[in-house]
Amino acid sequence: MISLVLTFVLELINQRSLADTLRLVFLTPHIFLINYLIVALIYSVSLFFKRKLFIYTLITFLLCVIGAINLVLLIQRNTQFNASDIIVFQYGMFITMKYFNLFKIILVLVAAASAVFGMVMLYRKGFVYPQKPDYKRSAVFTVSAALICTVLILIGEFSGFLDSRFIKIDETYKKNGFVYSFCCTAFVKGVEEPEKYDKNSVQALASELDYAISETDKRPNVIFVQLESFIDPSEIKGLDFESDPVPNFSELQENYPSGYLTVPVVGGGTANTEFEILTGMNLEHFGSVELPYNSFLLENTCESMAYNYKELGYKAHAIHNYNACFYKRDRVYANLGFDTFTTIESMSDIVYNDIGWAKDEILERYILSALSLTKESDMIFAVSVQGHGSYPTDFDDLQCENFNEDLEENEAAINYYISQIREMDDFVGGLVDTLREYEEDTVVVFYGDHLPGINIDAKHFKRKNLYETEYVIWSNFELGAKESRKDLYSYQLSAYVQELLGFSSGTVTKFHQQYSEAENYQELLKRIEYDIKEGEDYIYNGKNPYKPTDIEFGIEKTEITDIEYDGKALSVKGSNFNEASVIYINGKKKDTEYIDSSTIILKSVKLEDSDKITVVQIDNQYSKELSKTKPYNYEASLPEEEK
C-alpha cells in the first residue's frame, strides 16, 4: 500500500495534473503497474532486515526527496529530474544555488538536518523485530518480483508502449511514468548496436563518401555563437510588443540563411546541444538523456567541428563566459580538438547581470582577440551564459504590452528574461557591426541552445514545439545559399555551414551532406555513431585518428610585469588579472585580493631572497589550476633600479 500511494504521488508531480495522472492509471494501467512494481521492488529490500521500520522510512524519505527535486526542476526549468542531473549537480552547485534565495537554502539545510536527526533516532530507538528475517522466503519474493517486473518491461518495450531510449524527456516521462523513466536515464546508456553492424558494412559506407577535402580554396573565419536560452519572445503566444524585441536577430533572418533549429533539450542541458553541434551526432540514438560530456568524452577523442576545420588549416578556439570546469569542458574540449579555451577565469572587466551571470557583451572582445591571435583562419566556438535562469520573481520592468492569462503567474520571470534577451540581441548586433568592416572574410552562426527554463508548456508557443530554437548564418561576404530558409536539426548545422562555404571536411560532415535526404539516413547515421562510440572505428580503418590537444587556457595571457613590496604587503603588477587570479609564492597558494586588471595584492607576507612569485588562474568553483605566469624572482638585496 505504501508503494501504491507513493507511486501515485510521484506520478502526480510528474504529470502536474490530477486528470492526467488518473488518465495514466485507468487508461494505461499496465504502465502504472510497472512503475508501481519498481517501487515495490525497492521496498522489498526491507525484508532482509530486522529494522524494517527504519528501512521503510529511509526508502520513503529518499523517494520523497527525488519527488521534491523533480517538482522543483519542473517549476524552475520545465524538465523532469533525471540521472544526468545527479552527475551535473556535483559540478554545478553554484548554479544550483542560483535557484534558491538565502531563506530557501537555510530552510532546505534545516529540513535536511532534521531528517538526518530523525533517521538516526529512528535507527536507535525504533522498533526492531525480534525474530531473524526469513532470508530464503525474502529472496524468493524479491527475485519473483524482479522477474515479473523485468518480463513486463520487456513486453512493454517489445510491443512499443514503453520507451527505453528517449530524448524528448517531458513527453516520454509523461507517457512512461516517472519511476520507470528515471530508472531508464540511470541505466540505459550508449548507442545500441544497430542491425547489420560489421566491418564490411561500415567500410562500404565510408568508401561511398566523397573524400575530396575541399571544392574551394577560400578559408573564411568561421564563428559559432551559442546563445544561452535564446529565442524570439514573439514566438510565445499571448505576448504583445510595441516593437520587435530582437531587432538585430530578426534583421539578419530576413537577409541571410536562417531557419528553425530542433535541439535535443529544453529548459537546460546546454552541453547536449553543444555535443550535437560539434560532433554531428544525433542524441536520440544514445542512452536516455545521456550526457556525453560526462561519460565517454572524458577519456576518448571524437571527430568534431574543431578537428574538421583544423584539417583545412584552421586554428580552433573555444570561448565561454563561465567557469572552465562546468560540464567538464576543461577536459572535454581537449578531446574535441580545441587549441585554446578562454573562460571567465581568463577574462577581465566583466559586467554581470542582476542574478550574477556574466553579460554576453564580453564575448565580442575575446572573439576579436582569437581572430587576431593567429595568421591562419580561425574557427571559434563561443558559448554565452547571460540568458541563463533562474529568473527573478520580483522583476517589475514591463517588457511587453499584454500577458496571456495563462502566463500571468510567470509575468515577472518572463519580463526579466525578455530584458536579458534584448541585451543579448544588442551583443549580436554589435558583433555583426564590428565584423562588417573586418579585413578578413568571416562567417558567424548564431543560434539558441534551448528554450528558457520558464514554467510554460508547448501550447504557449506558436509552433507548439518545446524543442525548437532559431539560427541565422551571417557573413561579411557573399554566401552562396541555395535557399534562404531551411529548418535543421542541431546535429546537421555544422555540415550545412560547410556546404554553404563550398567544402567538406570530416567523415560525419560528408555523411550529412550526402545522405540527409536518404530513406535510411537515420539508420546509417546510427551505424556510424555506434562505430565511433562503441564499436571498432571501422569508419577510420580500425584506428581513431584524433589525438587530444594540449589545450591552452586563455587567449589574452596573464603576466607579471613588476612587484612592489614594503616588508609586509605585496603588490603584484601585470596584465589581465581578475577575481580568479591567485598569487603563489614558491608554489604555495596565498590569500589574494583583486584590485583591478593590472593589480592584485597580499596584505601580509614575508618575502625572502630568491622567492618565486607566480600568478595562477584558478577555477574557484572546482579548485582547479588552469594557467599560470612565468615565475618572477624576488631579490631583496638588489638596488631598486636593478630590480
Side-chain angles (χ1 to χ4, degrees), residues 283-307:
L283 277 170
E284 285 190 359
H285 299 150
F286 284 55
S288 305
V289 200
E290 184 171 352
L291 192 61
Y293 274 26
N294 287 266
S295 55
F296 88 101
L297 277 176
L298 286 176
E299 306 298 336
N300 302 281
T301 59
C302 179
E303 180 179 325
S304 72
M305 185 198 306
Y307 284 121

Side-chain angles (χ1 to χ4, degrees), residues 244-257:
D244 191 336
V246 286
N248 295 300
F249 194 84
S250 297
E251 182 183 358
L252 296 181
Q253 286 179 302
E254 292 176 3
N255 297 289
Y256 296 91

Side-chain angles (χ1 to χ4, degrees), residues 507-521:
T507 302
V508 178
T509 297
K510 295 180 177 73
F511 172 79
H512 284 303
Q513 291 177 346
Q514 297 179 42
Y515 281 85
S516 62
E517 302 299 326
E519 290 185 6
N520 59 347
Y521 173 51

Side-chain angles (χ1 to χ4, degrees), residues 579-632:
E579 289 84 352
S581 303
V582 178
I583 298 171
Y584 277 57
I585 298 177
N586 299 326
K588 293 183 178 181
K589 184 178 179 181
K590 302 296 180 181
D591 291 332
T592 305
E593 182 177 334
Y594 170 74
I595 303 300
D596 55 41
S597 60
S598 60
T599 308
I600 51 179
I601 65 172
L602 297 179
K603 290 185 175 179
S604 180
V605 67
K606 179 66 175 176
L607 291 182
E608 306 288 346
D609 276 359
S610 300
D611 278 347
K612 295 185 180 300
I613 301 168
T614 54
V615 175
V616 180
Q617 300 303 118
I618 295 181
D619 185 330
N620 287 319
Q621 296 299 324
Y622 312 100
S623 300
K624 179 174 179 178
E625 297 181 11
L626 301 173
S627 64
K628 59 184 177 182
T629 64
K630 294 179 180 179
Y632 187 102

